[in-house]
Amino acid sequence: MKRLIALCLVTLLPTPALAQTAGTSSVKQQIVPQVAKTGIMASAQSPDGRLRIEISTDNDGHMAYAVFRNGKPLIGTSRLGFNLTDGYALFRKMVFDGAETATANSRWEQPWGERRFVTDHHNELLVKFHQDEPTHRLLNVRFRLFDGGLGFRYEFPEQPNFKTVNIAEELTEFNVLPEGTAWWIPGGEWNRYEQIYQETPINAVSIAHTPITMRLKDGTHLSIHEAALVDYAAYWLKRQANGSFRTTLSPSSRGARVIRDTPFTTPWRTIRIADNAAGLVENDLELNLNEPNKLGDVSWIHPSKYIGIWWGMISGRWSWAEGPTHGATTARTKQYIDFAAKHGFRGVLVEGWNKGWNGDWFGHGDEFSFTEAVPDFDLPALSAYAKTKGVHLIGHHETGGNIANYEPQLEAAFAQNQRMGIEVTKTGYVADLGGIVAPGDKPGEVRMEYHDGQRQVQHLLKVVEVAAKYHNAIDTHEPVKDTGLRRTYPNWIDREGARGMEYNAWGPFANGPEHEPTLVYTRMLSGPMDFTPGILSLKGGNDVPLASTLAKQLGLYLAIYSPIQMAADLIENLEAHPRELDFISKVPADWSESHLIAGEVGDYAIFARKDRNSNNWYVGGVNDATPRTLDLSFDFLDPGKTYVATIYKDAPGETYLTDSRHQIAYDSKKVRRGDHYSLWLAPGGGAAMSLVPAR
Amino acid sequence: MKRLIALCLVTLLPTPALAQTAGTSSVKQQIVPQVAKTGIMASAQSPDGRLRIEISTDNDGHMAYAVFRNGKPLIGTSRLGFNLTDGYALFRKMVFDGAETATANSRWEQPWGERRFVTDHHNELLVKFHQDEPTHRLLNVRFRLFDGGLGFRYEFPEQPNFKTVNIAEELTEFNVLPEGTAWWIPGGEWNRYEQIYQETPINAVSIAHTPITMRLKDGTHLSIHEAALVDYAAYWLKRQANGSFRTTLSPSSRGARVIRDTPFTTPWRTIRIADNAAGLVENDLELNLNEPNKLGDVSWIHPSKYIGIWWGMISGRWSWAEGPTHGATTARTKQYIDFAAKHGFRGVLVEGWNKGWNGDWFGHGDEFSFTEAVPDFDLPALSAYAKTKGVHLIGHHETGGNIANYEPQLEAAFAQNQRMGIEVTKTGYVADLGGIVAPGDKPGEVRMEYHDGQRQVQHLLKVVEVAAKYHNAIDTHEPVKDTGLRRTYPNWIDREGARGMEYNAWGPFANGPEHEPTLVYTRMLSGPMDFTPGILSLKGGNDVPLASTLAKQLGLYLAIYSPIQMAADLIENLEAHPRELDFISKVPADWSESHLIAGEVGDYAIFARKDRNSNNWYVGGVNDATPRTLDLSFDFLDPGKTYVATIYKDAPGETYLTDSRHQIAYDSKKVRRGDHYSLWLAPGGGAAMSLVPAR
């Protein structure tokens, strides 16, 4: 009992007050190992004291953590550990060996992003365990508590008895106690992340990808995810028979889902925790848990906007393959370069420029070349032409999932891209079940892997590292989920990883009006998305209608963050909407601040963002199927300035369900900090505003 | 179109009428490959015409089947195929190569079982496919349709381009269309089958073990399972995002969940289909799909009853390990042998007889010896003593999941058993997550496997085969699910594979009153269960109450079939209930007929069974928490005989919830075929009757 009291005293000591300026300070304290084997071994709090964790062991030597918020249980006793393929599990008979605490408070700057400065203020608790099953093995767990949530990761220290760790399964539990609603997409399958989000009671979740977002009955918002996923399998969150959630790792052809040599650390398992939707969204938990920028000077990365020879193929007009309707021709690309130059778009994406599209590339891709263009696409000439116009081609590496074919071509492909003035490359891994074709151990052999297994996670980072050498930024489609690695590799600028605009080409109202208002609070918590907004025609293939009003297409530029934003429609359709095109060409893709000024999960989301490169503000967002009037408050504006607000919004009474979706209303007014604006949003509607300081 | 018509004509030809006597007849017909790539390639019907299947391919070369009942869709288009670890999936671009049909009608005899004779009347459809991805690979699927359901399996023919098949996942779908209720236990975890069954809407199933039982809105009963699981991983049934079910195989430390060389066949995937609960239960689908008896003369297998030194440890009075409360002592075993002899029990199970229990055996088991007894258990003396009494010790091989320790001892252990007059051996695999410790590829290495993965499936059959050499029958605890292999290996007499009586020792009403009325329609469809009934005290450890009346303990001998039935209580408790003990000592463990004469899934089940070795009938069963009065009809009795019915039933008004559970009522009457009997069942109640022809 005495030792327990001493422990509590140690953890109750207030952390020293720290300066708010940049810099890191830390205070470390040791906690001695307990003699008692069961009970609470260590605890820690967030800086504001509202979150508390307790680490415990039981009679059988299970390690567990629990989370309390405002003194009430939030995450109940949740076990930790691993199954191995070649030895007894790191699960029972774990012995607590002591703990250390630390505090840090710093501010760091992002080279691009939703905000310029990021505050990292956390308390840390490192707990140490060993097991003698049958030999002495060491395992640590490091927890970091922020006011906005917590993260923890396992650390396998250097140790003589445990050289290679063959993880069969990770057994991390999340015993979410309160009831509530969850927004999630099913995990556990081949088909990646391109699904409509489900909204169900938390206890109806079966197996989910992360981020998975929850809103508890008392209004607390949670999102469970991971940070710094490097050289490890992604995890899916699975509901166990006893009601708690547990990690399950993406499988591998090798049996062990993760193979690592000690010492190593796992990704961070993260839980964002907030009082409301804005607290959930304006939250840098995962970024703060990632390593700082490794690339040094990244001034060659340019947040910008682009158009592309893409929607034409998606909507069935053109082909990727060579032939009479080939999309990527020299003539058309010149036309798109001209349009980009005229309207201020820095990039032109061209898909179908290279050899390999004529065969059965879906899930095969063994014929793709990433250097050889097809005869009717003159890459050098177009590259030179673009240069004269201040425009850059955007590279495209569709692999069909065949990384055995792609990896040997990486160096040559990115070197060529650099020579061609290409600064951004979109990659793709379109494939079927278990569809990543990885090289086997012997020539001619292949290994079929998951899109989010360890091998593919290794591959995707390798692509980013090679690309960085050649000053290419990477936009990964059919990716692994984003876990904040853009902090460490700022050229990893974008991913797909959800159902994007393209689904709207393939069926009427295909994504539905709720999709983007849900993405904001789920997918978008993980990082930027190449959603490809800007289908101003509101029409897909065969003219199927989008579940969107015209104003919503503009609102997407505020709701769905990306450092590279596409204006995705055919250029003739963009041109047919000159005022909207003008907004798109001017809306920034890089911000110094971002705030969710109105919104609820799955319903609507209105952001206010400040341009990183001027004093302009932008406001806008998206709505679901329920019309609503919002009272927006401009209390984010800089004090003492008057702004001219140019407003694009839904016309009264319109709805995405009918042709009225093409209507839009314009407004203009002078506004100052503290002013209010009443905004009506149509079903499937949206809005966008630029607020420019008046002269 | 012409070919399609020709195809339809071919499949509509009535199968020739066949004699009802024993023997097999078959009619084969060829169906030529279709030129068309999409649409229905082949179809077949059950003998009574009520079930029909259609085999189809689509534009992308997916193989699929669909099932119709009474002309209405039952199982919608359901895909077939495999993911591989080392090559493109056998899933797309499959080409139909033709089909063959056949018919069979025979009757065969079981050496022991619920019924003596089994009718096998089915129509068969064999469909053939190939794929050129990248080399020519062949895959066949064989369907058998019975009046009581259907089964199908994949067959990988001999083929030069496909020597070893490394299956990452099996992609067999079951697109159950109608809505209804499902009874199931969660699969996908380490913890085997010992769970309370869930009753939910079909669309709330996440991932389930099989058998999984469903009752559709129109009253149709289904149960999905498999037959002849040999050298393959067991499957769990997983609900996909699109609502249909799909197989997912138990994982392996090797990556590939199944590794087989061609030619080979997979287990049969089975669907029992019936109009009502009795049709579901009185159904030999899986047995009929298993291979005939390989062991030849099995007269050394004796359906019988046993007692044991077991409940004493389960309820916490004695220990398995040596020490002051060791259960398995020479003196106690003698006492139990005497009791067995006095009351007509053939077997005495003794757990804790051998070396290895003193260490941390749970999930380890590396210290177990299966030949060396502990000092206070004189095996040879007890074996000899038992022989003088006409009693046989029952062997016990608890492995702690460590088959690396068990397999090398198999021959010596079973040889010793045979010398000791042991005819039945109970085996166990009590272990934690991923807990089967299998030998690795090199000395000193281990591989951690699932209880129902390919390696463990191989192990369990190996044990049965070795045991057969030494005339031992096997009762497997912590087993893989039963898939009917008792037909091929009649010494594989029993398994656990669900929550049995032991859970009632560990908490009040631990299994609940609904458990056995659900087992009848789920677990018991797969095969016999060593449930270990007969806790006549109705008390577990620390006297916790069972969710059972006294009569229900007798009813279990009719409801839960096993060729070896335990009277599980301490012998002093059995002795304290002489009338009930008398019933138990006389109730047979082998039957010539079995019928469910009253029952609904999850509610109650009353069986009528005829003793294989006399003209006696037995009636009885179990009830859930709802008291009910049943009007039983004795229309199964042999005509022209009068029977003396001795009836054990619940006393009016009693309930498992109170001490009234100890009450029982006795009745006796003369009955004839066609008579009725009104039986009141208590909450948690049951009944048992012997019906002996009057002299």
Short mmCIF file of all heavy atoms in Angstrom, two decimals, chain B residues 601-636:
data_model
loop_
_atom_site.label_atom_id
_atom_site.label_comp_id
_atom_site.label_asym_id
_atom_site.label_seq_id
_atom_site.Cartn_x
_atom_site.Cartn_y
_atom_site.Cartn_z
N VAL B 601 -35.66 -23.98 -32.61
CA VAL B 601 -34.27 -23.58 -32.40
C VAL B 601 -34.15 -22.60 -31.24
O VAL B 601 -34.85 -21.58 -31.19
CB VAL B 601 -33.69 -22.92 -33.68
CG1 VAL B 601 -32.23 -22.54 -33.45
CG2 VAL B 601 -33.82 -23.85 -34.86
N GLY B 602 -33.30 -22.94 -30.30
CA GLY B 602 -33.04 -22.05 -29.18
C GLY B 602 -34.04 -22.12 -28.06
O GLY B 602 -33.84 -21.51 -27.01
N ASP B 603 -35.13 -22.87 -28.27
CA ASP B 603 -36.21 -22.90 -27.28
C ASP B 603 -36.29 -24.21 -26.51
O ASP B 603 -36.24 -24.22 -25.28
CB ASP B 603 -37.55 -22.62 -27.97
CG ASP B 603 -37.62 -21.23 -28.58
OD1 ASP B 603 -36.75 -20.39 -28.25
OD2 ASP B 603 -38.54 -20.98 -29.38
N TYR B 604 -36.46 -25.29 -27.22
CA TYR B 604 -36.56 -26.59 -26.57
C TYR B 604 -36.32 -27.67 -27.60
O TYR B 604 -36.35 -27.41 -28.81
CB TYR B 604 -37.93 -26.79 -25.89
CG TYR B 604 -39.10 -26.76 -26.85
CD1 TYR B 604 -39.72 -27.93 -27.28
CD2 TYR B 604 -39.60 -25.55 -27.33
CE1 TYR B 604 -40.79 -27.91 -28.16
CE2 TYR B 604 -40.67 -25.51 -28.20
CZ TYR B 604 -41.26 -26.69 -28.61
OH TYR B 604 -42.32 -26.65 -29.49
N ALA B 605 -36.07 -28.87 -27.12
CA ALA B 605 -35.83 -29.99 -28.03
C ALA B 605 -36.15 -31.28 -27.30
O ALA B 605 -35.56 -31.57 -26.26
CB ALA B 605 -34.37 -30.00 -28.48
N ILE B 606 -37.08 -32.03 -27.86
CA ILE B 606 -37.45 -33.34 -27.31
C ILE B 606 -37.22 -34.38 -28.39
O ILE B 606 -37.74 -34.27 -29.50
CB ILE B 606 -38.92 -33.38 -26.88
CG1 ILE B 606 -39.24 -32.26 -25.88
CG2 ILE B 606 -39.26 -34.76 -26.29
CD1 ILE B 606 -38.58 -32.40 -24.53
N PHE B 607 -36.40 -35.37 -28.07
CA PHE B 607 -36.05 -36.43 -29.00
C PHE B 607 -36.75 -37.73 -28.61
O PHE B 607 -37.03 -37.98 -27.43
CB PHE B 607 -34.54 -36.68 -28.98
CG PHE B 607 -33.74 -35.66 -29.73
CD1 PHE B 607 -33.40 -34.46 -29.13
CD2 PHE B 607 -33.34 -35.91 -31.04
CE1 PHE B 607 -32.66 -33.51 -29.83
CE2 PHE B 607 -32.60 -34.97 -31.73
CZ PHE B 607 -32.26 -33.76 -31.13
N ALA B 608 -36.97 -38.55 -29.61
CA ALA B 608 -37.34 -39.95 -29.39
C ALA B 608 -36.27 -40.78 -30.08
O ALA B 608 -36.01 -40.59 -31.27
CB ALA B 608 -38.71 -40.26 -29.98
N ARG B 609 -35.65 -41.69 -29.33
CA ARG B 609 -34.56 -42.49 -29.89
C ARG B 609 -34.78 -43.96 -29.54
O ARG B 609 -35.21 -44.28 -28.44
CB ARG B 609 -33.21 -42.04 -29.34
CG ARG B 609 -32.88 -40.56 -29.59
CD ARG B 609 -31.49 -40.23 -29.06
NE ARG B 609 -31.17 -38.79 -29.03
CZ ARG B 609 -30.49 -38.14 -29.97
NH1 ARG B 609 -30.10 -38.78 -31.08
NH2 ARG B 609 -30.22 -36.85 -29.83
N LYS B 610 -34.44 -44.80 -30.48
CA LYS B 610 -34.59 -46.24 -30.25
C LYS B 610 -33.22 -46.84 -29.98
O LYS B 610 -32.28 -46.65 -30.74
CB LYS B 610 -35.24 -46.90 -31.46
CG LYS B 610 -35.59 -48.37 -31.23
CD LYS B 610 -36.35 -48.98 -32.40
CE LYS B 610 -36.80 -50.40 -32.04
NZ LYS B 610 -37.52 -51.04 -33.15
N ASP B 611 -33.15 -47.58 -28.89
CA ASP B 611 -31.92 -48.28 -28.52
C ASP B 611 -31.49 -49.18 -29.66
O ASP B 611 -32.29 -49.95 -30.20
CB ASP B 611 -32.20 -49.09 -27.24
CG ASP B 611 -30.97 -49.83 -26.72
OD1 ASP B 611 -29.85 -49.60 -27.23
OD2 ASP B 611 -31.13 -50.63 -25.78
N ARG B 612 -30.21 -49.10 -29.99
CA ARG B 612 -29.74 -49.97 -31.06
C ARG B 612 -29.77 -51.44 -30.64
O ARG B 612 -29.86 -52.33 -31.49
CB ARG B 612 -28.33 -49.59 -31.50
CG ARG B 612 -27.88 -50.48 -32.67
CD ARG B 612 -26.62 -50.09 -33.33
NE ARG B 612 -26.57 -48.74 -33.84
CZ ARG B 612 -25.86 -48.40 -34.91
NH1 ARG B 612 -25.19 -49.33 -35.56
NH2 ARG B 612 -25.80 -47.15 -35.30
N ASN B 613 -29.68 -51.69 -29.37
CA ASN B 613 -29.49 -53.07 -28.90
C ASN B 613 -30.71 -53.69 -28.25
O ASN B 613 -30.61 -54.71 -27.58
CB ASN B 613 -28.30 -53.12 -27.94
CG ASN B 613 -27.02 -52.69 -28.64
OD1 ASN B 613 -26.69 -53.21 -29.70
ND2 ASN B 613 -26.34 -51.72 -28.07
N SER B 614 -31.87 -53.06 -28.42
CA SER B 614 -33.09 -53.64 -27.87
C SER B 614 -34.27 -52.99 -28.58
O SER B 614 -34.08 -52.21 -29.52
CB SER B 614 -33.16 -53.38 -26.37
OG SER B 614 -33.53 -52.03 -26.11
N ASN B 615 -35.47 -53.30 -28.13
CA ASN B 615 -36.65 -52.64 -28.68
C ASN B 615 -37.12 -51.47 -27.84
O ASN B 615 -38.22 -50.95 -28.03
CB ASN B 615 -37.79 -53.66 -28.82
CG ASN B 615 -37.53 -54.61 -29.97
OD1 ASN B 615 -37.14 -54.18 -31.06
ND2 ASN B 615 -37.71 -55.91 -29.73
N ASN B 616 -36.25 -51.07 -26.91
CA ASN B 616 -36.62 -49.95 -26.04
C ASN B 616 -36.54 -48.64 -26.79
O ASN B 616 -35.66 -48.44 -27.64
CB ASN B 616 -35.70 -49.88 -24.83
CG ASN B 616 -35.79 -51.12 -23.97
OD1 ASN B 616 -36.76 -51.89 -24.07
ND2 ASN B 616 -34.79 -51.32 -23.13
N TRP B 617 -37.42 -47.73 -26.45
CA TRP B 617 -37.34 -46.35 -26.91
C TRP B 617 -37.06 -45.44 -25.73
O TRP B 617 -37.42 -45.76 -24.59
CB TRP B 617 -38.66 -45.91 -27.54
CG TRP B 617 -38.86 -46.41 -28.94
CD1 TRP B 617 -39.39 -47.62 -29.31
CD2 TRP B 617 -38.56 -45.71 -30.14
NE1 TRP B 617 -39.42 -47.72 -30.69
CE2 TRP B 617 -38.91 -46.56 -31.23
CE3 TRP B 617 -38.03 -44.45 -30.44
CZ2 TRP B 617 -38.74 -46.19 -32.56
CZ3 TRP B 617 -37.87 -44.08 -31.77
CH2 TRP B 617 -38.23 -44.94 -32.82
N TYR B 618 -36.45 -44.32 -26.02
CA TYR B 618 -36.21 -43.30 -25.00
C TYR B 618 -36.67 -41.96 -25.56
O TYR B 618 -36.50 -41.66 -26.75
CB TYR B 618 -34.72 -43.24 -24.63
CG TYR B 618 -34.31 -44.35 -23.71
CD1 TYR B 618 -34.12 -45.65 -24.20
CD2 TYR B 618 -34.18 -44.12 -22.34
CE1 TYR B 618 -33.79 -46.68 -23.35
CE2 TYR B 618 -33.83 -45.15 -21.48
CZ TYR B 618 -33.65 -46.44 -21.99
OH TYR B 618 -33.33 -47.45 -21.13
N VAL B 619 -37.28 -41.19 -24.71
CA VAL B 619 -37.78 -39.88 -25.09
C VAL B 619 -37.26 -38.88 -24.07
O VAL B 619 -37.18 -39.19 -22.87
CB VAL B 619 -39.32 -39.86 -25.10
CG1 VAL B 619 -39.85 -38.44 -25.32
CG2 VAL B 619 -39.86 -40.80 -26.17
N GLY B 620 -36.91 -37.70 -24.51
CA GLY B 620 -36.52 -36.69 -23.53
C GLY B 620 -35.82 -35.53 -24.18
O GLY B 620 -35.56 -35.52 -25.39
N GLY B 621 -35.54 -34.54 -23.35
CA GLY B 621 -34.85 -33.37 -23.87
C GLY B 621 -34.81 -32.24 -22.88
O GLY B 621 -34.92 -32.44 -21.67
N VAL B 622 -34.63 -31.04 -23.45
CA VAL B 622 -34.30 -29.87 -22.64
C VAL B 622 -35.15 -28.66 -23.02
O VAL B 622 -35.67 -28.58 -24.14
CB VAL B 622 -32.81 -29.53 -22.81
CG1 VAL B 622 -31.94 -30.66 -22.26
CG2 VAL B 622 -32.47 -29.29 -24.28
N ASN B 623 -35.24 -27.73 -22.08
CA ASN B 623 -36.06 -26.54 -22.27
C ASN B 623 -35.28 -25.29 -21.90
O ASN B 623 -34.36 -25.35 -21.09
CB ASN B 623 -37.32 -26.64 -21.39
CG ASN B 623 -38.32 -25.54 -21.69
OD1 ASN B 623 -38.52 -25.16 -22.84
ND2 ASN B 623 -38.97 -25.04 -20.66
N ASP B 624 -35.68 -24.16 -22.47
CA ASP B 624 -35.02 -22.89 -22.13
C ASP B 624 -35.72 -22.24 -20.94
O ASP B 624 -36.31 -22.94 -20.11
CB ASP B 624 -34.95 -21.96 -23.35
CG ASP B 624 -36.31 -21.42 -23.76
OD1 ASP B 624 -37.33 -21.79 -23.14
OD2 ASP B 624 -36.34 -20.62 -24.71
N ALA B 625 -35.68 -20.92 -20.85
CA ALA B 625 -36.21 -20.24 -19.66
C ALA B 625 -37.72 -20.07 -19.68
O ALA B 625 -38.30 -19.56 -18.73
CB ALA B 625 -35.54 -18.87 -19.52
N THR B 626 -38.36 -20.49 -20.75
CA THR B 626 -39.81 -20.30 -20.87
C THR B 626 -40.54 -21.59 -20.52
O THR B 626 -40.38 -22.59 -21.21
CB THR B 626 -40.16 -19.90 -22.31
OG1 THR B 626 -39.40 -18.76 -22.67
CG2 THR B 626 -41.66 -19.63 -22.46
N PRO B 627 -41.35 -21.59 -19.48
CA PRO B 627 -42.10 -22.82 -19.18
C PRO B 627 -43.08 -23.11 -20.30
O PRO B 627 -43.59 -22.19 -20.94
CB PRO B 627 -42.87 -22.46 -17.89
CG PRO B 627 -42.95 -20.97 -17.90
CD PRO B 627 -41.73 -20.46 -18.62
N ARG B 628 -43.28 -24.36 -20.60
CA ARG B 628 -44.19 -24.71 -21.70
C ARG B 628 -44.76 -26.10 -21.51
O ARG B 628 -44.16 -26.95 -20.86
CB ARG B 628 -43.49 -24.59 -23.05
CG ARG B 628 -42.35 -25.54 -23.25
CD ARG B 628 -41.59 -25.27 -24.57
NE ARG B 628 -40.59 -24.22 -24.45
CZ ARG B 628 -40.62 -23.08 -25.15
NH1 ARG B 628 -41.60 -22.84 -25.99
NH2 ARG B 628 -39.65 -22.19 -25.00
N THR B 629 -45.92 -26.27 -22.06
CA THR B 629 -46.57 -27.58 -22.07
C THR B 629 -46.56 -28.12 -23.48
O THR B 629 -46.98 -27.43 -24.42
CB THR B 629 -48.04 -27.46 -21.59
OG1 THR B 629 -48.05 -26.89 -20.28
CG2 THR B 629 -48.70 -28.82 -21.55
N LEU B 630 -46.06 -29.31 -23.63
CA LEU B 630 -45.98 -29.93 -24.95
C LEU B 630 -46.95 -31.10 -25.02
O LEU B 630 -47.10 -31.85 -24.06
CB LEU B 630 -44.57 -30.44 -25.21
CG LEU B 630 -43.45 -29.41 -25.18
CD1 LEU B 630 -42.11 -30.10 -25.41
CD2 LEU B 630 -43.67 -28.33 -26.22
N ASP B 631 -47.56 -31.25 -26.17
CA ASP B 631 -48.40 -32.40 -26.43
C ASP B 631 -47.57 -33.38 -27.27
O ASP B 631 -47.48 -33.25 -28.49
CB ASP B 631 -49.66 -31.97 -27.19
CG ASP B 631 -50.47 -33.16 -27.63
OD1 ASP B 631 -50.49 -34.18 -26.91
OD2 ASP B 631 -51.09 -33.09 -28.73
N LEU B 632 -46.93 -34.32 -26.59
CA LEU B 632 -46.06 -35.25 -27.31
C LEU B 632 -46.89 -36.38 -27.90
O LEU B 632 -47.81 -36.90 -27.26
CB LEU B 632 -45.01 -35.84 -26.35
CG LEU B 632 -44.06 -34.84 -25.69
CD1 LEU B 632 -43.09 -35.57 -24.77
CD2 LEU B 632 -43.31 -34.04 -26.75
N SER B 633 -46.50 -36.74 -29.09
CA SER B 633 -47.23 -37.80 -29.78
C SER B 633 -46.30 -39.00 -29.95
O SER B 633 -45.22 -38.88 -30.53
CB SER B 633 -47.67 -37.27 -31.14
OG SER B 633 -48.27 -38.30 -31.87
N PHE B 634 -46.71 -40.14 -29.44
CA PHE B 634 -45.86 -41.32 -29.52
C PHE B 634 -46.14 -42.09 -30.81
O PHE B 634 -46.45 -43.28 -30.78
CB PHE B 634 -46.11 -42.23 -28.31
CG PHE B 634 -45.63 -41.65 -27.00
CD1 PHE B 634 -46.31 -41.94 -25.81
CD2 PHE B 634 -44.52 -40.84 -26.94
CE1 PHE B 634 -45.86 -41.43 -24.60
CE2 PHE B 634 -44.07 -40.33 -25.74
CZ PHE B 634 -44.74 -40.62 -24.56
N ASP B 635 -46.04 -41.40 -31.93
CA ASP B 635 -46.34 -42.09 -33.19
C ASP B 635 -45.11 -42.73 -33.82
O ASP B 635 -45.16 -43.23 -34.93
CB ASP B 635 -47.03 -41.15 -34.18
CG ASP B 635 -46.33 -39.82 -34.30
OD1 ASP B 635 -45.16 -39.71 -33.86
OD2 ASP B 635 -46.94 -38.87 -34.84
N PHE B 636 -44.01 -42.72 -33.08
CA PHE B 636 -42.80 -43.37 -33.55
C PHE B 636 -42.70 -44.81 -33.03
O PHE B 636 -41.89 -45.59 -33.49
CB PHE B 636 -41.57 -42.57 -33.10
CG PHE B 636 -41.61 -42.25 -31.63
CD1 PHE B 636 -41.17 -43.19 -30.69
CD2 PHE B 636 -42.16 -41.06 -31.17
CE1 PHE B 636 -41.23 -42.92 -29.34
CE2 PHE B 636 -42.23 -40.79 -29.82
CZ PHE B 636 -41.76 -41.71 -28.89
#
